[in-house]
Each structure stands twice: as C-alpha cells, then as structure tokens.
Amino acid sequence: MLISLQWIRDFVNLPTDLDPRDLAERVTVSTAEVEGVTPIHIDAQGLIAAKVISATEVPKKRNLKLVELEIGGDNTVRTATAAPVLHVGSNVVFAPVGASVATTGVIKATTIAGAPSEGMILPGEALGIPLAMQEAVFLGDEFQPGQALPAKLFEDWVIEIDNKSITHRPDLWGHYGMAREIAAIFGLPLSSYPITPEAELSSSNLPDVAITIADAHACRRFTALRLEGVPTIPAPLWMQLRIGRIGMRPISGLVDLTNYVMADLGQPMHAFDADHVPDIEVNWAYEGETLQTLDGMERTLTTESLVVQSQGKSLSLAGVMGGLNTEVVDSTDSLLLESANWDPIVIRRTAHRLSLRTDAAARFEKSLDPANTTQSIQRFHLLAKAMYPEMKITGRLSDNYPGKPEPVVVAVNPQHVKRTLGRSCNLEEAINLLSPLGFSIEQNGDAWYVNVPSFRATGDVSIEADVIEEIIRRVGFDAVEPSMPRVSMRDIKMNPMHELEMRSLEFFCLAERFHEVNSYIWYATDWLKQLGMEAGDCIELRNPAAEGLHQLRRLMMPGMLAAVQRNRFHFSSFNLMDLGSVFEPHPQGDQEHRHLALVSARRGKKEENACLSQIKRAIGQWAWLRFGQQVTYTSASVLAECPWENPHRTATVALGDTIVGRVSVVEPGTRRAMDEHLSAWSIACAELRLDNLASLTTTTEKLGTIPDHPQIDMDFSILVPASSHYEAIAGQIAGFEHNLLKQIRYVDSYEGKSVGEGNRSLTFRTVIGSQARTLSEGDANGFQQAFETFVTKLGFAIRK
Amino acid sequence: MTLDELNKQLAQIELQVACGVRELNLIDAVRSFESSVLGKQGLIGLLLKNIRDYPADERGQVGQIINRAKAKAKAIIDARLSEIEREAVAKESQGASDVDPTLPGDVESLGSLHPVTMVQLEIERIFERFGFTVETGPEMESEYNNFDALNIPADHPARDMQDTFWLNNNQVLRTHTSPVQHRAMKKFGAPLRIIAPGRCFRYETLDASHENTFHQVEGLVIDDEISIPNLIAMSKALLQEVMQRDVKLRVRPGFFPFVEPGLEIDMNCQICGGSGCATCKQSGWVEILPAGMVHPNVLQAGGIDPDRYSGFAFGLGLTRLAMMKYGIRDIRVLNSGDLRPIVCAQRLGGPILVNHTT
C-alpha cells in the first residue's frame, strides 16, 4: 500500500526537516515493513490553469488535437496535445512557455503538426499521477484560467508499505490509522479526525433511509445518507494529486472523493444514483440471479452472494462492486451514499468465486471497524461540502447496526508482561506507551484491564499476548537487551529415525562416495510412461503443481532414474543417493514411509557387476556399522510396479530376518526407453525402507582375543556354473562341520578364461584352530581333505 | 720372518686390502674377499697360524702386531660394506622408475551431501551444542496439525488451494515445519527445547527464487521464563555461528498466527555488509528469521499451560541459507537431480588448473 507523506502531515505535525527515509526506518522497526520511499519531485514552476476554447483533431494524426486555451484576461494560446479526452470549457493544468516541470524541462514555443505550440497541457503522468498517463488533469472552479497553481501541491514523498505486513491491521489501510502510528512513534499529538458533526447529518426533519438487513451476521452495519446537488465536476487538484500518487486514477469528483475517503480512513463506500434507490435491503441473492457490475461484466450470483437491493432488485454486489444500473453518471444529481460493514469471510468468498479482487473487497476481507461507517460518511460530507456549495441532505444519516460488537476489554497480568519483556513494566509506563495508540488501562487488584479501541478490536487485539505485543512494539525491539534463556535440563532422546537418516546420509555420501540428490515427492506421469511403469494405487494431489504431477510417489526409483538420465550427458560414471518420503494409500489411514534409494551407473554394458557390487558393498558396510548385522540377498522375481528390474538380476535385501528392500540391475529395455545412449550403460539400483530399522535392536560388535595357539587360514576356490547363485552355494557350504573349523568366509568371485567358459570360481577362506594345542601339518591336511570331500559330494569341483 | 719383515708384509697386505676392496661392488664379493684375508686360510689367518715359528718371548709382540693389522683390515672391509649398503639404499630410494612427488593423487570422485543437507547438519550441530533435541514430523500432515493447532483460522487464505497442496485424503503436504512444534509439545510436554528440520511444500509457480518444495528448520524453546530478549540473543548466536562472523540484527514486528508477539529478524546483508545491493534490494538488510513468542492458543493446543510456561519459536529457511552460503542463484537446481550445480567440481575429479566457471 502506498502512503503519501503530505497526506500524513494533515494529521501529524512532523518536523519539516524530517528525512522521509528515517521515518520509513522507524515505521519498519515499530509498525510495518516499508518496502520503498520515493520522492515525488515534480519541481513545478509557472504552471497555471487554462480553459479550453476550442479543440480540433489533426487529420491523419491519431490522438493529436490542436487546442486553443484561455489563460486569463483575454489572453489565449494555442498548442497541440495528445490528451485523449478534452472538451471545450474544460479547465486543465497548463504549462505556458517558460514554465517547467522535472520531466519536460522549460517549455519553449515551437511548431507541432504545422501549427504553433505555445505551451503544453501537462499529462497526468508528468504531475505524479502514473495511471492518468497522457490524460490532462482537469480542474474545477477552484482555479480561474491564468491562475498560478501552487508548486508545493505537487511535492510529496510516497512510502510503500508491504501489504503482507498489515493484513492483520485493517486500521493501517488508511492514512489516518498510519498517522496514528507515526504520531506515537515520534511522540507527537494526532489531530482529531476532521468530520462533519453527526447532529448536522441526522436532523429529524429529514426523511430516513429505510434499511433492512436479512442476515445480521453477514451485514453487521449499514449506514446511508441521501444527498442532492452534486453535479459532475472534477475533484480539487490536491485531492486528485494525492489519490493519483498512491496509485489511483482520478475519474470524477464523486468517485475521487469516495476513493479519497477509502484511502483516508480505510473504509470503502459506495454511491448509488439515488433516483433508482428508494430504500435499501441487504439480502442473499437468488441462485442463478444475474447482475451487471460496474466493470460491465454480467455476474451470475448464488445464494452465497450478498447483495444490496432496492424494491427486490439487486443493485450491487455487497462489499465487492457496484451495479451498472445505479451507476453514478454525469446526469446524476442526487445520490445515496452507502457505508457498511460486512462479514470478511462472505466478502472473501464472493470476491474469490468471481475472481473480482477489488480494493473494496481487499479491505472488507480484513474485517473493518464498524465505527467506520458513520465516520466515513461524516468525513465524506465534510469534504463534499467544500466541493459542492449547493449540496443538500435529502435523507438523513440512517443507521442499521444489528451486529454491534461488545467493547473489547483485555485482562493483562503484569507478571506476564514482565516475563515476555524480560523486565518489569509498571502501569504508568504501560499507559504512556499505549494511550497514543488509543488504548486505555484500568487497574483492578493485580490485573490491568485494557480497553481496546474499536479500530483495533477487529480481531487484531483480543488477548493478553496482543496487548503485550503493543507494549513491546512501543518500547522498541532495539531497546531490548538480548540475554540467553535460562532453561531446564531434560533427558529427551534424539529422534532415532532422524539419527539413522542423518548418519546414513553421511555414511553413503562421505564414506561410500555417493552423491546425494533431491527430487520431488510426486511422480511425473510422462516419465512413468517412458519407463513403462504402472504407478499403482497412489495418494493424489487435488491441486497438482502441473498436469501429470498428481500422484504422490510410492517409490523413489523413478525419480532416481530420471536423475541418472540427466547426469549421463556429463559424467561417465556416478553413484547417486536420495533419502525421502514415499506415500501409500491404506484402508486404515494412508501411510508415509521413509526410503533410501541408491543408484550406480557406469558407461559400458559390462559394468553391471561392478555397479551392483558398489551398491552392495555400501549397503553391507552400512548395515554392519549401523546395526551390527550382515546383509543377505535372496533372488527375487520382478515386481509389477518395478518394470526396470532385470528378472535375472534382482534380489531382496535382508538384515537378519527383516527384508528391508530390493536391489537390482536395470534391465536393458528400460535403459533404452530412458534414453538411447543409456543402452550402452550399466545401471544398478537399490531402494530400502528405513521405517522399521530405527527400532531394530543393534548388535554391538564382539571383539575377540588373540588365540592361545596359532590358527591356520586355508583358501578354497570352488568351481560352480556361472548361472548358479551365491545364496544357494553359500547355504550349502555353511553346512560343513569339522572339529577344528573356526570360520568360513566369502573372499571373492571370479569368471574368466582360466576357469573355463560358463564357470565361476567362488573362493572361501576357512580358518582352523584348536584351543588346546598348536596344529600340525597333519591336522591341516586332514582338514583340507575333509573339506574337499564335502565340496565334491555337493557336486562341485575344487579349483587347484 | 723377522719382525721387520712381518711388519712390511702386513703393510703390504693392508695396502692390498684397501685397494682390493675398493674394486668390489657386491656384498657377496666383499664377504668372500674378507674370508680370503681374514679367514683361517686367509693372508692374515696364515700369518697367525705361523706364530709358533717365533721365539717364545717374541710371540706376544707378534700376536699383537698381527691382531692390530687384522682389526685394521676388518675395519677397511666393514667400511666398504656399509658404503655398498648406503649406495644400494640410495639407489633404491631413487627407484627403478621416476617418481614425481609433485604429481596430484589418484583422480577419484568423492561423494557429496546435498547443499541443503550440509547446511542442515551444520545447524543441527549448533543446536545440539545448546542442548536442543532434533525432532521430525511427516511431510503428509493433517489439516489440524498444519493449521488449526497452530492457531491458523479456518478461513485463513493460507489454506487455499493457491497456497497449499491438498491431497485426496483431505490431508495436506505440510506448508511449514511448524506442525512439529505441536507434535513435540504433545509428545514431550514442557519444558522443551527442539529444532525440527524438514521438507515443506507450498503451491508456488516455479522460478529462480520460488520452489514448491523446500526445506526449513523450526526452533522451539518452552520454559519457565522465556522472553523476547532470550529470542533475540539466541537468534544472534545462531546466525553468528552459521555465518562464522559477527552479524548485526534488526528486529521488527511481524505477523504470523502461531506467535504473539510476532517478529521479523533481519540480518545485515552479507553480500554488501549493509550498504545496499541487489541481493538486499538496497535496504542493507535481509529477512532471515521469522520468529515470535509462542501464541497461547498454540501452547494450549499442545497441552501446555500458557500461564505456567512461555516460549519462543522461529523458522529458518534451510534452502535459502544453502543458496546464500554456496552462492546458488537458481533455486530450481536443488531438486533437479543434476549434479553439476550442487557438487563442487573439485569433488568430481582431479585438481583444477584453470577455472572460469564462477
């Protein structure tokens, strides 16, 4: 929201030498964030009013008119202008030859379109009214042709307040409310709000405006005043300039005045052409009813649209936008002024449903002070009286106020003030701090009773903490002496799941050289299609970020494979990992699980074993370090939702008896489907579910002693068919028994020319020993013979 | 042989040994040369054998002369032996092939943590030092935990479909880590000291500085006498630790439904130091830490008596912090899976000689 400093000065007598940037900084640290401070420096010199005597279009020059103007006495000048609308008799802001403003420099006599040009009708944008663009600025009777326009009217500063920082402060959506804060900040008095006294508007001689309200919850208050003698004239120049600077476009005296009061007090008002409005009814619309709004659009209403009606006919969309049928037009001379208070939720829903976020709706949805309705009409009247000397009240100030709130009084425990502030604050100090903001305090026993002014009782200040906030805001955060908290010690365990996750990330990335990547938690339908994957039953987003991103992932692997595809252009081998949530619909309540995904990718088709082995080594080390458990792999068939799994190269991963996930080689069809270049790559992947692992009983490693008698290591290489699986062979080997046997462990696997085509050599290391004696050569030979016999009986050959 | 002759002969042998041994370059050759001189049948050995040919009163003197010569010869041979050994060591240290001690080590890719994780670990370490427990919560959250329990009213715009991802099971993707405040209060009660890092989601249109998926860390302290001065002191300690330097704070009012009073804590811009630049939009300050005193309704919803306890809470954008710390300009690279922008090139291979990439 934009604030004019000149406007603020109407209410607070700020020092003339005040640097607006300092003001902005102080507003930021005590009230609301200022996003920018901009000088409006027009540097107007020699501007005058000038009356249009004649205006003729220049043939073939679109938008260009030749104009003759009266500039006082019998003096006339001629000029050309691009102002789109210009009527004979209009009084406009004019820069004669020798005058200047900042954007044009000194105006010189010249020739335009073959005609002499002896000055310039200044466009609104040159005078600090950006939205007026090329339009002329029209003047009422306040300035006679030739009369000089005071330069200081054009000088101002505009302060931009971050709207987000005042959504909870409806009182700050007007200059008077902002002035109250600024007055408090600078310790200056705030002028009382300039209005016509209520008595002047509510003479009992005048007829009432009949107002009925069907739903007191939706319309808390409706106030109206009927006026006559308000011809179409421009608003005063100062008013046009002020609303222009804060981003509105001057339109006509009445519209500008309504806008001015809105920016002044924060209260939107509406003016109806009174000829069509004998009385007022506030009611819900009929389902399917239509109303043509001021923007010319035909709106279809529902029973949830609140409307202002007269004689059963809908006139306006309450609190959002007026209707075209009662629009104030040039011929309007009598009008009915509405100032109402609406339920913010009703307004927000309507504005949202119709995508009609007007200035009025934006304010009403913040919950305005009901006291504003009469005040705004009184303010309007005071300003209008100066503009329309002939104005008469034809219907007195009428007020239907069914939703009058109870005054808000907040009980405050001074000990709580002390607790939050970190120091004590006595009643006197509290009163000094809060009274400039309109609060008053009474003490009763130990408690303070704080009377909240109506403009802050809109939901903004309702509990003790709100009052404490006001106090500390007034004390100033920069006056607070920071001090570390005094805290109680408690024995709260680190979250075991989190512990597992962070240590796992560190392990895989720092020890096993994986790169951690992140991805989105939803599937991309197109990518699944490319992978040939059926997503299965997924939890879905009602409002996905984009089409095809509606399914929450059940597995991380599709995202990981996308990352592989992305990185293959830049690296010839890489290992990726990710740790995150996956989601599954479940009859007893949908579930979120934590998964760990690993991928190893290398260029070259023959790297599959290397990729797989890289992943398995990492998993094996991790399982041992974290859980003290060995990993076992059991071959598994491909899951329907994992079409990338190679049916011959897929296994489940188990820690002890618990299956925690799957590991597989990515089958060639998937690689080709991902990207034709990946057809010559090897990719292995694993996805593990971590949920149950955090609570897994971890076995602490048992560390041994040095044996009393030396032990002997003997390696045996066993020739097996290359197609056979380790799990089966290892299971059989583990069945070997011998009284000297201490240990059998896996050493390595080898395929190559020396072991013959179609064969694999698996090497196991046996350790033999005795507690009682040193082994003899005979012992070793005997063991060797026994083991070899055992293996041979299993149907395998020993490789010598 | 007279003593004189003996002396002459020994001098002759000594000369012979000294010259002979210098010709030899192999340890074995020296050893056999040694036995040809000092062995029982060796030049000196034989002389010693013939000692009986001397008169008895001369034998002592002869023995001494021979033994002295023997010791001298042995010393010469030993000297040569150690010389040969030294030469061998010198030769071996030079090596068979050339070794360049200035060559870089094996070129092997290191692994890497995601930038957000690196920052998160750092933050966790700082808070663990202050005795905070790290707590987490699910990414799929109930509407109650994400909004109601945090005093966000039923009609608050944040609940709209334009701001929040809604699921077909009527739950939401959490829009902040704040639901963990509520969960932790329920789980542990007061007093309490936690941080809650995690992934959050907001319905945003993606551009260089907006993501719909990002990380935050939430902090919460509830105890007997927690004050705003405490919150400011803690914030300052945290930011100084993260930035590894002295920082200036600017505290100003802010509005968030779950805190009252609500604060915005700004830090002096680390790019320009506070004089104003593009990063801080010329203000000299960057918004870094939305914070405040826990709203009494939030304490109550968490089962904690707001009369008895007070607390502060703050949120810190981990994603934003990671971007600031590592100079990442486009937020979208963080979830792209592309390693290039999130892994330092030095981690991916050998040392870099020329670098024009930054």
Side-chain angles (χ1 to χ4, degrees):
Chain A
M1 193 187 51
L2 300 179
I3 293 288
S4 145
L5 188 56
Q6 192 192 79
W7 198 330
I8 293 291
R9 286 180 186 274
D10 282 1
F11 306 120
V12 195
N13 191 15
L14 289 168
T16 43
D17 61 349
L18 173 70
D19 184 339
R21 283 162 291 233
D22 292 342
L23 172 98
E25 178 64 19
R26 292 181 71 175
V27 168
T28 294
V29 295
S30 47
T31 304
E33 189 186 2
V34 173
E35 288 194 309
V37 185
T38 316
I40 306 296
H41 183 52
I42 305 299
D43 196 13
Q45 289 177 28
L47 302 191
I48 58 169
K51 186 174 261 177
V52 178
I53 301 171
S54 71
T56 47
E57 304 273 340
V58 178
K60 292 183 189 166
K61 293 265 186 183
R62 232 157 55 90
N63 299 337
L64 198 62
K65 298 180 188 69
L66 294 180
V67 186
E68 194 173 9
L69 300 129
E70 180 197 329
I71 56 164
D74 292 333
N75 298 330
T76 62
V77 291
R78 282 176 297 172
T79 187
T81 181
V85 179
L86 208 58
H87 301 294
V88 171
S90 296
N91 202 9
V92 295
V93 175
F94 185 71
V97 170
S100 69
V101 295
T103 50
T104 62
V106 177
I107 303 292
K108 296 188 182 86
T110 175
T111 305
I112 297 173
S117 173
E118 302 157 327
M120 183 177 184
I121 295 177
L122 287 173
E125 61 185 359
L127 297 172
I129 310 176
L131 285 188
M133 294 189 282
Q134 289 300 303
E135 290 169 30
V137 175
F138 297 100
L139 300 168
D141 292 341
E142 55 177 330
F143 296 105
Q144 295 309 308
Q147 192 177 342
L149 306 178
K152 66 172 188 188
L153 277 188
F154 298 96
E155 300 298 303
D156 201 352
W157 285 79
V158 169
I159 297 165
E160 184 175 4
I161 307 280
D162 177 17
N163 288 350
K164 286 199 294 288
S165 72
I166 50 172
T167 47
H168 61 303
R169 290 289 304 270
D171 63 310
L172 297 184
W173 287 76
H175 280 72
Y176 190 65
M178 199 55 88
R180 183 184 296 115
E181 289 283 330
I182 292 172
I185 292 168
F186 286 86
L188 295 168
L190 175 76
S191 309
S192 60
Y193 195 50
I195 50 175
T196 303
E198 200 177 326
E200 211 175 296
L201 307 179
S202 46
S203 158
S204 52
N205 300 334
L206 294 166
D208 207 27
V209 181
I211 303 166
T212 54
I213 296 172
D215 186 334
H217 177 75
C219 177
R220 298 156 173 174
R221 188 176 194 183
F222 196 107
T223 310
L225 182 72
R226 205 185 284 277
L227 295 167
E228 170 179 298
V230 285
T232 304
I233 54 161
L237 178 60
W238 61 267
M239 189 182 281
Q240 292 188 52
L241 290 170
R242 281 186 182 178
I243 64 169
R245 280 174 210 139
I246 62 164
M248 296 179 189
R249 182 175 149 248
I251 293 166
S252 72
L254 274 179
V255 175
D256 295 356
L257 178 52
T258 333
N259 282 336
Y260 188 84
V261 174
M262 176 165 79
D264 199 49
L265 185 62
Q267 170 75 10
M269 303 170 78
H270 184 63
F272 297 95
D273 186 332
D275 292 344
H276 306 94
V277 189
D279 58 10
I280 292 287
E281 299 141 27
V282 177
N283 212 339
W284 298 102
Y286 302 112
E287 186 68 38
E289 184 182 344
T290 59
L291 174 72
Q292 202 172 13
T293 43
L294 280 174
D295 55 3
M297 299 283 284
E298 177 125 320
R299 308 283 176 178
T300 305
L301 310 181
T302 72
T303 53
E304 287 181 5
S305 317
L306 197 64
V307 287
V308 177
Q309 301 176 320
S310 189
Q311 312 278 297
K313 190 168 184 243
S314 291
L315 308 179
S316 78
L317 204 49
V320 180
M321 193 180 263
L324 208 54
N325 51 4
T326 50
E327 187 185 13
V328 172
V329 290
D330 281 0
S331 60
T332 303
D333 191 49
S334 114
L335 57 87
L336 189 137
L337 200 58
E338 163 202 313
S339 189
N341 190 277
W342 313 103
D343 176 54
I345 297 164
V346 170
I347 301 302
R348 191 164 73 84
R349 288 204 185 125
T350 305
H352 186 228
R353 191 175 57 79
L354 297 174
S355 299
L356 200 55
R357 299 190 74 81
T358 58
D359 280 344
R363 285 180 159 82
F364 281 124
E365 69 180 37
K366 290 178 179 71
S367 187
L368 298 182
D369 176 10
N372 283 358
T373 67
T374 43
Q375 277 188 50
S376 58
I377 287 184
Q378 289 168 272
R379 178 74 173 139
F380 181 97
H381 184 268
L382 184 77
L383 293 164
K385 223 164 37 173
M387 289 165 62
Y388 308 103
E390 309 290 317
M391 185 176 75
K392 275 195 317 201
I393 299 171
T394 51
R396 67 189 171 101
L397 186 70
S398 308
D399 191 18
N400 190 344
Y401 195 176
K404 187 168 185 170
E406 287 296 314
V408 175
V409 180
V410 178
V412 172
N413 177 349
Q415 287 307 312
H416 289 174
V417 178
K418 182 183 175 189
R419 182 172 72 181
T420 306
L421 210 55
R423 68 161 174 85
S424 54
C425 169
N426 62 27
L427 180 66
E428 192 191 346
E429 186 187 3
I431 290 171
N432 286 339
L433 291 169
L434 294 185
S435 59
L437 298 181
F439 294 83
S440 64
I441 310 180
E442 288 149 38
Q443 185 157 28
N444 191 343
D446 287 339
W448 298 344
Y449 290 89
V450 178
N451 298 303
V452 179
S454 67
F455 50 83
R456 298 298 305 277
T458 50
D460 168 21
V461 178
S462 56
I463 59 169
E464 183 185 72
D466 299 329
V467 173
I468 296 175
E469 168 163 50
E470 293 303 296
I471 292 175
I472 192 152
R473 226 161 48 74
R474 294 283 293 118
V475 167
F477 291 109
D478 52 351
V480 166
E481 192 60 48
S483 70
M484 274 298 198
R486 290 167 163 271
V487 291
S488 320
M489 192 103 155
R490 275 187 76 187
D491 179 16
I492 293 179
K493 300 276 178 291
M494 284 292 163
N495 180 312
M497 188 63 190
H498 184 71
E499 215 24 41
L500 168 62
E501 291 188 3
M502 297 319 280
R503 301 296 83 81
S504 300
L505 279 169
E506 285 178 330
F507 176 79
F508 283 104
C509 294
L510 304 183
E512 292 295 330
R513 302 180 176 193
F514 280 73
H515 293 289
E516 187 194 3
V517 291
N518 280 351
S519 61
Y520 295 97
I521 63 165
W522 40 75
Y523 284 145
T525 314
D526 286 349
W527 179 245
L528 297 197
K529 203 177 281 172
Q530 208 170 325
L531 293 177
M533 171 183 173
E534 297 288 340
D537 192 10
C538 291
I539 298 171
E540 294 190 357
L541 285 153
R542 280 206 214 129
N543 52 338
E547 208 187 312
L549 304 180
H550 58 288
Q551 292 166 315
L552 291 195
R553 64 183 179 192
R554 294 170 56 105
L555 290 169
M556 296 178 77
M557 202 45 67
M560 294 298 280
L561 293 177
V564 169
Q565 197 267 341
R566 258 206 121 134
N567 285 301
R568 70 102 183 132
F569 297 95
H570 315 291
F571 307 100
S572 57
S573 83
F574 49 87
N575 305 318
L576 306 179
M577 81 158 298
D578 192 4
L579 200 161
S581 289
V582 299
F583 305 85
E584 271 172 27
H586 195 274
Q588 270 90 51
D590 292 352
Q591 294 176 342
E592 176 174 342
H593 301 288
R594 298 293 283 174
H595 276 200
L596 175 101
L598 302 167
V599 171
S600 177
R602 297 179 190 204
R603 186 179 290 153
K605 281 185 178 181
K606 292 188 172 157
E607 302 292 328
E608 289 190 339
N609 255 324
C611 290
L612 202 56
S613 152
Q614 176 109 33
I615 285 181
K616 288 179 171 179
R617 183 188 71 169
I619 294 176
Q621 296 283 346
W622 168 75
W624 183 251
L625 288 176
R626 288 291 331 153
F627 311 107
Q629 301 254 19
Q630 291 199 123
V631 177
T632 49
Y633 300 98
T634 309
S635 46
S637 50
V638 172
L639 285 184
E641 62 175 335
C642 307
W644 56 80
E645 289 179 341
N646 184 323
H648 311 291
R649 295 164 195 193
T650 294
T652 56
V653 181
L655 292 190
D657 297 334
T658 321
I659 291 183
V660 296
R662 304 168 68 79
V663 55
S664 64
V665 167
V666 174
E667 59 94 32
T670 305
R671 280 192 276 111
R672 281 191 180 84
M674 283 164 67
D675 178 336
E676 60 174 308
H677 293 268
L678 288 172
S679 61
W681 279 57
S682 301
I683 307 172
C685 62
E687 183 155 358
L688 309 180
R689 179 164 291 190
L690 299 182
D691 300 20
N692 301 324
L693 295 181
S695 56
L696 201 71
T697 351
T698 59
T699 319
T700 306
E701 296 176 296
K702 287 284 170 281
L703 303 175
T705 51
I706 297 170
D708 291 341
H709 301 281
Q711 297 183 333
I712 300 172
D713 291 355
M714 301 171 86
D715 286 2
F716 296 91
S717 293
I718 300 170
L719 277 179
V720 299
S723 61
S724 61
H725 279 180
Y726 169 84
E727 55 169 321
I729 292 151
Q732 287 171 296
I733 298 289
F736 176 68
E737 287 174 12
H738 191 278
N739 61 352
L740 295 177
L741 178 67
K742 294 290 173 200
Q743 209 173 61
I744 306 179
R745 72 190 314 166
Y746 167 74
V747 177
D748 68 9
S749 158
Y750 173 76
E751 278 173 69
K753 272 184 195 147
S754 60
V755 294
E757 188 79 10
N759 280 335
R760 184 137 56 108
S761 160
L762 289 176
T763 302
F764 295 91
R765 175 160 305 160
T766 59
V767 181
I768 57 173
S770 161
Q771 296 281 66
R773 60 192 173 82
T774 301
L775 299 184
S776 65
E777 206 178 325
D779 290 327
N781 289 340
F783 177 83
Q784 181 181 353
Q785 210 157 41
F787 187 76
E788 287 181 359
T789 309
F790 175 77
V791 169
T792 316
K793 271 189 185 153
L794 291 177
F796 305 122
I798 295 280
R799 183 173 160 235
K800 296 288 184 182
Chain B
M1 205 185 311
T2 63
L3 278 179
D4 206 29
E5 280 170 349
L6 178 66
N7 274 326
K8 254 185 208 153
Q9 191 167 356
L10 282 171
Q12 183 74 30
I13 290 172
E14 192 182 316
L15 188 67
Q16 219 172 321
V17 167
C19 294
V21 85
R22 210 170 303 149
E23 302 296 314
L24 303 173
N25 293 314
L26 296 171
I27 302 258
D28 287 351
V30 177
R31 294 255 183 246
S32 61
F33 180 75
E34 182 182 16
S35 63
S36 74
V37 178
L38 302 176
K40 281 181 182 160
Q41 301 300 317
L43 293 173
I44 295 180
L46 287 174
L47 289 176
L48 208 54
K49 222 180 190 176
N50 298 335
I51 197 161
R52 267 172 248 241
D53 300 344
Y54 289 89
D57 59 338
E58 280 182 18
R59 282 182 200 159
Q61 200 186 352
V62 168
Q64 271 179 11
I65 292 171
I66 295 175
N67 277 329
R68 216 179 299 137
K70 189 178 173 185
K72 219 166 183 180
K74 174 118 177 65
I76 292 169
I77 290 166
D78 284 351
R80 180 58 188 154
L81 273 175
S82 24
E83 198 174 86
I84 291 172
E85 223 150 302
R86 270 200 305 276
E87 278 166 14
V89 168
K91 202 170 174 189
E92 191 184 328
S93 74
Q94 197 180 353
S97 58
D98 283 337
V99 172
D100 174 359
T102 68
L103 206 63
D106 281 355
V107 173
E108 217 172 330
S109 156
L110 298 176
S112 62
L113 289 163
H114 192 275
V116 171
T117 306
M118 289 194 274
V119 171
Q120 182 181 331
L121 281 164
E122 203 177 314
I123 300 277
E124 288 185 11
R125 217 163 292 140
I126 293 169
F127 279 101
E128 282 170 17
R129 192 161 70 70
F130 286 114
F132 282 63
T133 303
V134 184
E135 230 347 80
T136 55
E139 293 169 8
M140 175 172 72
E141 216 8 312
S142 68
E143 182 180 10
Y144 178 83
N145 284 347
N146 195 71
F147 295 118
D148 299 73
L150 296 166
N151 195 40
I152 300 172
D155 59 308
H156 196 278
R159 298 197 191 202
D160 285 352
M161 305 266 277
Q162 301 96 302
D163 290 296
T164 300
F165 283 112
W166 284 89
L167 303 176
N168 60 354
N169 57 17
N170 292 326
Q171 303 201 56
V172 299
L173 295 182
R174 66 173 171 191
T175 58
H176 43 196
T177 40
S178 310
V180 184
Q181 280 187 28
H182 177 69
R183 289 174 172 273
M185 285 186 230
K186 286 275 198 194
K187 190 166 159 191
F188 303 115
L192 190 57
R193 203 147 75 248
I194 60 149
I195 58 162
R199 197 187 304 229
C200 308
F201 309 86
R202 292 211 187 141
Y203 197 92
E204 293 260 18
T205 306
L206 267 57
D207 63 31
S209 48
H210 293 92
E211 243 292 0
N212 53 33
T213 304
F214 56 95
H215 283 75
Q216 275 189 345
V217 61
E218 189 85 6
L220 175 70
V221 176
I222 298 173
D223 219 306
D224 289 324
E225 295 274 328
I226 297 299
S227 68
I228 284 186
N230 295 161
L231 166 55
I232 297 174
M234 189 75 221
S235 306
K236 183 150 179 145
L238 163 66
L239 293 172
Q240 296 202 150
E241 193 94 6
V242 172
M243 296 299 153
Q244 294 290 302
R245 66 175 104 163
D246 194 36
V247 298
K248 286 200 195 74
L249 298 190
R250 178 175 77 171
V251 184
R252 55 190 173 86
F255 177 70
F256 315 98
F258 33 94
V259 285
E260 188 71 53
L263 273 58
E264 284 278 11
I265 297 175
D266 300 337
M267 177 175 67
N268 60 327
C269 178
Q270 299 295 298
I271 307 292
C272 64
S275 55
C277 66
T279 305
C280 60
K281 293 181 204 141
Q282 306 306 328
S283 72
W285 299 101
V286 284
E287 260 180 46
I288 188 97
L289 211 65
M293 303 303 291
V294 183
H295 195 288
N297 293 354
V298 175
L299 289 173
Q300 225 140 27
I304 291 172
D305 177 5
D307 270 341
R308 167 85 175 76
Y309 290 105
S310 59
F312 66 69
F314 58 83
L316 182 64
L318 284 177
T319 300
R320 198 148 149 265
L321 206 57
M323 291 175 73
M324 279 167 62
K325 177 155 183 166
Y326 298 107
I328 297 167
R329 275 174 289 236
D330 189 332
I331 195 169
R332 290 167 293 192
V333 304
L334 294 171
N335 289 327
S336 70
D338 192 331
L339 291 178
R340 289 171 300 159
I342 61 166
V343 182
C344 176
Q346 277 83 347
R347 282 178 174 270
L348 294 170
I352 292 168
L353 277 65
V354 177
N355 194 357
H356 296 308
T357 56
T358 45

